[in-house]
Amino acid sequence: MKKAYACFDIGGSSIKVAVITKAGEKLESGKIATGKSFTECIDLMVDKLNDVNQRFSIEGVAISAPGAVDSESGLIGGKSALDFIHGPNWKDVWREKTGFEIGIENDANCAALAELYYGEGKQYNDLAYVVLGTGVGGAVVKDKKIHKGVHLHGGEFGYMILDANPHTGEQRVWSVVSSTISMVRDANEKLGRTDLDGRAVFELAEQGNEIAQEVIDTFYFYNAVGIYNIQFTFDPEIILLGGGISQREDFEENIQKAIAKLMKTS
């Protein structure tokens, strides 16, 4: 049997599972339900571990999770859509239930490491990775290592303030101003609808709907502001963008146009 690692990527409704060799070769992949509680979540993951361990020689377990993950202690701080993952000591529980030692890390940090060793970041030492999705997340890599920060907030770009009122103190962070879900929300509000998703907003814009076009332009502009700020604070060799929307063919072009617009007035 091939020696490998069982890898779990915890999401809101499902957990992606893969069996991967130390060299990065993927031997098997799939997904399981996340569950409704910590106990159910762990039990589902352990069942899957037992299943793959019958076919492969599993040497260890790697877990990618949302939140402020303390990789050393095994605790997950901060907040996420899964309240029950915060609090329990994941390392202790897995050790007690399976005998396996686990490695656990923030999901955006895991994505950045994947890019660093197997993707677009292989040739770089310093990079920033931005994930555009329901919120905005990310990671900072310095000298090929994740910079987590003393409070585990390194790379939490979604909390970056992009718009603020000096009189009231009211502020809007990147996740609120320009995540994909905020773009959809703005389009629905301005068009008096409730049924639009991201794909529909772009379709309307392509059909000439001026409100949809304005919403999308605003989305790209504020993302460019965030990227601009990262570049002039961290100054990495490259900034990589991820998330489902980054797969659009015109995504990079529109981001570059918005950044060029900013650079003209800076």
Side-chain angles (χ1 to χ4, degrees), residues 30-92:
K31 65 180 180 178
I32 58 175
T34 301
K36 305 292 186 183
S37 67
F38 178 74
T39 299
E40 185 181 2
C41 178
I42 289 288
D43 287 345
L44 289 166
M45 293 170 75
V46 170
D47 286 346
K48 187 61 179 178
L49 172 63
N50 292 334
D51 172 50
V52 298
N53 204 21
Q54 294 176 17
R55 296 187 297 283
F56 305 97
S57 179
I58 300 299
E59 293 189 296
V61 176
I63 297 175
S64 162
V69 178
D70 188 328
S71 302
E72 303 233 345
S73 72
L75 297 171
I76 302 178
K79 295 181 179 179
S80 74
L82 297 169
D83 290 339
F84 60 78
I85 71 172
H86 304 274
N89 189 305
W90 284 73
K91 287 193 172 186
D92 288 348

Side-chain angles (χ1 to χ4, degrees), residues 4-251:
Y5 296 86
C7 304
F8 297 89
D9 178 28
I10 301 173
S13 59
S14 64
I15 299 173
K16 295 175 184 175
V17 185
V19 178
I20 300 176
T21 67
K22 192 172 185 178
E25 178 189 0
K26 184 164 66 177
L27 305 177
E28 181 176 301
S29 63
K31 65 180 180 178
I32 58 175
T34 301
K36 305 292 186 183
S37 67
F38 178 74
T39 299
E40 185 181 2
C41 178
I42 289 288
D43 287 345
L44 289 166
M45 293 170 75
V46 170
D47 286 346
K48 187 61 179 178
L49 172 63
N50 292 334
D51 172 50
V52 298
N53 204 21
Q54 294 176 17
R55 296 187 297 283
F56 305 97
S57 179
I58 300 299
E59 293 189 296
V61 176
I63 297 175
S64 162
V69 178
D70 188 328
S71 302
E72 303 233 345
S73 72
L75 297 171
I76 302 178
K79 295 181 179 179
S80 74
L82 297 169
D83 290 339
F84 60 78
I85 71 172
H86 304 274
N89 189 305
W90 284 73
K91 287 193 172 186
D92 288 348
V93 171
W94 271 85
R95 191 181 298 116
E96 290 167 8
K97 282 184 171 286
T98 69
F100 277 98
E101 297 293 333
I102 68 166
I104 186 167
E105 182 57 272
N106 170 267
D107 48 10
N109 287 346
C110 288
L113 289 170
E115 292 287 356
L116 182 67
Y117 289 103
Y118 304 110
E120 297 296 324
K122 284 192 293 187
Q123 66 193 82
Y124 304 104
N125 292 313
D126 299 349
L127 64 86
Y129 181 74
V130 181
V131 185
L132 300 174
T134 303
V136 176
V140 172
V141 174
K142 178 67 178 172
D143 296 327
K144 289 194 177 294
K145 295 179 181 179
I146 293 290
H147 173 74
K148 302 184 74 164
V150 67
H151 300 108
L152 304 179
H153 292 160
E156 291 289 354
F157 303 127
Y159 291 101
M160 186 185 293
I161 297 173
L162 298 190
D163 189 17
N165 185 318
H167 304 292
T168 65
E170 182 183 2
Q171 43 79 18
R172 296 194 301 159
V173 298
W174 193 345
S175 284
V176 171
V177 172
S178 206
S179 62
T180 53
I181 199 169
S182 68
M183 177 190 69
V184 170
R185 182 194 62 234
D186 290 348
N188 276 304
E189 287 178 358
K190 291 179 179 179
L191 290 166
R193 297 176 62 167
T194 60
D195 60 321
L196 297 174
D197 59 13
R199 188 183 301 275
V201 175
F202 278 98
E203 288 176 353
L204 283 174
E206 290 162 2
Q207 293 164 10
N209 186 293
E210 293 184 0
I211 292 177
Q213 291 171 349
E214 180 184 346
V215 167
I216 290 171
D217 286 345
T218 300
F219 167 79
Y220 281 121
F221 176 78
Y222 275 114
N223 277 307
V225 171
I227 291 166
Y228 179 98
N229 289 339
I230 293 171
Q231 184 60 46
F232 282 94
T233 50
F234 176 37
D235 195 22
E237 295 170 85
I238 190 171
I239 298 175
L240 299 176
L241 305 179
I245 197 168
S246 67
Q247 301 302 309
R248 287 187 57 85
E249 290 185 4
D250 60 350
F251 177 78

